[in-house]
């Protein structure tokens, strides 16, 4: 898959999730997003949202050379690694599907692959 596809990665060892810029662009560059998780299906969604929603995250301003959108959370990393049976010392990457009507990108975590730099 190319970097133009909406994607996320999970660095469980450092308790970080990285949202790809392609995911933000697929959502028409929102100022705020929130995460939705369905543990039964093992699906995670990144959804554009309004600023008044308490569980929102502010999307960083885009700088081509340095843009990154990490979300650091030990509880999130722990929940995902336990729910998905992921190894804690690995990095996982998954690409998603845009649902424009709901302003979200859905990620099937069952399709996550272990990421290794080549």
């Amino acid at each position: 898959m190319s970097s133009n596809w909406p994607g996320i990665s999970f660095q469980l060892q450092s308790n970080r999730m990285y949202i790809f810029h392609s995911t933000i662009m697929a959502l028409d560059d929102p100022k705020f997003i929130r995460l939705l998780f369905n543990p039964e299906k093992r699906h995670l969604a990144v959804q554009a949202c309004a600023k008044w929603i308490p569980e929102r995250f502010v999307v960083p301003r885009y700088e081509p050379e340095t843009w990154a959108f990490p979300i650091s959370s030990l509880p999130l990393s722990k929940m995902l690694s336990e729910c998905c049976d992921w190894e804690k010392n690995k990095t996982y990457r998954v690409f998603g599907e845009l649902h424009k009507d709901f302003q979200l990108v859905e990620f099937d975590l069952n399709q996550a692959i272990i990421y290794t730099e080549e």
Side-chain angles (χ1 to χ4, degrees), residues 31-112:
K31 293 194 185 318
F32 306 96
I33 56 103
R34 69 176 175 167
L35 303 176
L36 305 168
F37 183 57
N38 181 329
E40 290 82 29
K41 288 185 172 183
R42 295 182 179 172
H43 283 206
L44 180 78
V46 175
Q47 184 178 42
C49 69
K51 70 178 181 180
W52 51 265
I53 294 176
E55 65 274 9
R56 77 191 183 290
F57 294 91
V58 177
V59 176
R61 195 173 127 218
Y62 182 66
E63 299 289 339
E65 300 298 318
T66 60
W67 194 87
F69 191 174
I71 295 175
S72 297
S73 173
L74 175 60
L76 177 63
S77 289
K78 185 176 175 168
M79 177 182 65
L80 291 173
S81 66
E82 289 174 2
C83 182
C84 298
D85 297 320
W86 287 347
E87 296 177 49
K88 292 181 171 116
N89 64 341
K90 304 282 184 188
T91 296
Y92 292 85
R93 176 178 282 184
V94 63
F95 294 95
E97 178 182 351
L98 175 65
H99 298 279
K100 198 121 179 113
D101 292 348
F102 299 101
Q103 294 184 297
L104 66 80
V105 176
E106 183 178 20
F107 299 93
D108 180 352
L109 301 182
N110 297 300
Q111 301 299 316

